[in-house]
Each structure stands twice: as C-alpha cells, then as structure tokens.
Amino acid sequence: MRVEIWTDIACPWCYVGKARFDKALADFPHRDQVEVVHRSFELDPGRAKDDVQPVITMLTRKYGMSETQAEAGEDNLGAQAAAEGLDYRTRGRDHGSTFDMHRLLHFAKEQGRQDELLEILYRANFAEERSVFTEGDERLVALAVEAGLDAGAVRAVLADPDAYADEVRADEREAAQLGANGVPFFVLDRTYGVSGAQPAEVFTRALTQAWGERPPLRLIDSGDAEACGPDGCAVPVQG
C-alpha cells in the first residue's frame, strides 16, 4: 500500500500531522508493506527567495488577524506540538520560500533519504533558533548532510534552479487535481483521502480501512507456461 503526503515545511500543522501519522503507522500491523512518499506543496508558491519576514508579521498581514490573535495561535500550536513530543518555538521564527527545500526533498527521495531530510527540515524550522531562510544555501547543505546526503551533490542541486523544479510543480498540480487546497493532505492507495492534522486514531482507521479494501489480485490465465517454484524450474525436454 502506498501513502502519499502533501506537505510544506513552513506548515506547522504538517509538522504536527506527520508526528500523528507516524504514531499510527508505527502501530500498524502491516507497516513493512506501506510505502510513504512525501509530495510537495507550497503555502506561498512563487515567493521570492529573499522575501523573509517574522511569522507573526506574516500571519497578521496574510490573514488579517491582530498580533495578539497571531501570538495566541502560535501558543496553541506550541501546545499541540508538545502533546506529540515535538519542540516548537512560539516566538522568533521567520517565514520564507520553501521551494529549494522541496527540490532537495525530491533529490533526497532518489537517495532513499527523503523522510530523514523532511524530519530535519521540520525540526530546524520549528524548533531551532537558527533560520532555514536567512542563512544561505550552506545552512540547507548542513541539514542535508545531517540527513545522510552528499554535500557536493546538494550544493549542485541548489546551484541549479531548474534541478527538480519540474518535480515540485508536478506534485503541486497533482494536489490541485485531487482537490487538495490545503495541507497536510494524505492519500492512501489513491482511494482514500485524509485532510488535516487528524488524531492518530483517525489515521489508524484510515490505514486499516484502506488495507482491508485493497482489491485482490486477479490472475489472467494464459494457459500452462513454464515457471520456477520451490522445487526448481521445469526445463522443457527437446524431442
């Protein structure tokens, strides 16, 4: 079974939602037969790389809330994160373009290190004092190396703005086609969708239902054909 998850590194509910999904998946009896693929979704597509501002400022401008309301929202998110065992800085974080991070996540997928890099990027953005937006490419290089990626290869990806850009945009187009206008968005075997940072119990039910309703394999009988089995391979005898 395949689970695809559309997320953005700048999305706090994606940070919390991943922790909740991971809890459900860890207890799922068929965990070893579930493939998890992370898909790209930008909350601010097209945002300039140098357009960085404090999170509180972004919230007040984008959503028209007061500073007090924005701070209260961050406090609530901090409490939700803490309940999942996650660190969360409710003050002092900033917000910017995540496009390069998504490109790196596609590169990391090819190297089999996508989930590791996503975890590290979340931690860096939501829990650490150092910014992932204002310290330049070397900050992302260091985080990618921590995830097990080669520094030189990561620098090459970041230096080429077209590297994995098509993959990011394809993910975003697909999200729109599936009706996802927000994240996190979970798709199980292209049959069931779960929207938002649901409780772990909801993900458990979704995994169980999707697994139980997988269609059985339908074998097309093409007659007796040679095959190999536990007792060896049948070798035709030449007449």
Side-chain angles (χ1 to χ4, degrees):
M1 184 167 70
R2 168 181 278 203
V3 179
E4 297 163 276
I5 311 174
W6 274 263
T7 58
D8 191 9
I9 298 92
C11 166
W13 287 117
C14 295
Y15 179 47
V16 173
K18 183 179 187 302
R20 292 174 176 172
F21 173 78
D22 286 347
K23 284 183 179 179
L25 186 60
D27 293 332
F28 186 57
H30 309 288
R31 167 67 185 92
D32 292 342
Q33 298 177 64
V34 178
E35 176 192 11
V36 178
V37 179
H38 298 287
R39 302 291 192 191
S40 298
F41 189 106
E42 294 171 277
L43 294 176
D44 284 322
R47 189 184 188 100
K49 190 172 181 177
D50 60 355
D51 183 5
V52 181
Q53 60 185 168
V55 166
I56 298 299
T57 301
M58 180 275 294
L59 291 172
T60 59
R61 293 177 179 177
K62 186 172 183 177
Y63 300 106
M65 59 179 64
S66 68
E67 185 172 318
T68 299
Q69 289 172 322
E71 290 178 346
E74 283 294 283
D75 289 340
N76 175 56
L77 279 163
Q80 297 271 358
E84 304 302 330
L86 302 172
D87 292 328
Y88 188 98
R89 294 179 64 230
T90 60
R91 301 291 185 275
R93 292 191 303 106
D94 54 15
H95 178 82
S97 171
T98 56
F99 186 60
D100 283 349
M101 297 180 217
H102 284 295
R103 295 197 298 116
L104 284 180
L105 284 166
H106 276 279
F107 169 67
K109 179 186 175 185
E110 289 185 349
Q111 309 302 311
R113 310 298 294 177
Q114 189 185 49
D115 193 71
E116 290 83 355
L117 180 58
L118 184 60
E119 286 277 2
I120 288 169
L121 290 173
Y122 276 146
R123 184 203 69 208
N125 184 43
F126 291 107
E128 296 181 358
E129 291 188 13
R130 294 180 62 188
S131 173
V132 295
F133 301 109
T134 62
E135 295 193 22
D137 287 351
E138 284 305 304
R139 171 69 166 142
L140 294 182
V141 171
L143 294 171
V145 168
E146 186 180 343
L149 299 173
D150 177 74
V154 171
R155 290 190 183 97
V157 171
L158 292 172
D160 179 2
D162 292 328
Y164 300 97
D166 288 345
E167 288 82 349
V168 175
R169 298 307 182 209
D171 277 356
E172 294 174 336
R173 288 194 299 272
E174 197 163 15
Q177 292 167 0
L178 291 170
N181 53 17
V183 286
F185 188 71
F186 302 77
V187 176
L188 291 77
D189 262 356
R190 291 299 171 107
T191 302
Y192 294 99
V194 178
S195 181
Q198 300 286 348
E201 301 78 43
V202 173
F203 291 122
T204 296
R205 290 199 299 272
L207 287 166
T208 302
Q209 185 170 350
W211 182 269
E213 295 185 10
R214 291 176 306 140
L217 181 67
R218 299 178 64 184
L219 184 64
I220 297 175
D221 187 0
S222 57
D224 294 330
E226 291 78 10
C228 295
D231 298 325
C233 301
V235 179
V237 177
Q238 297 295 327

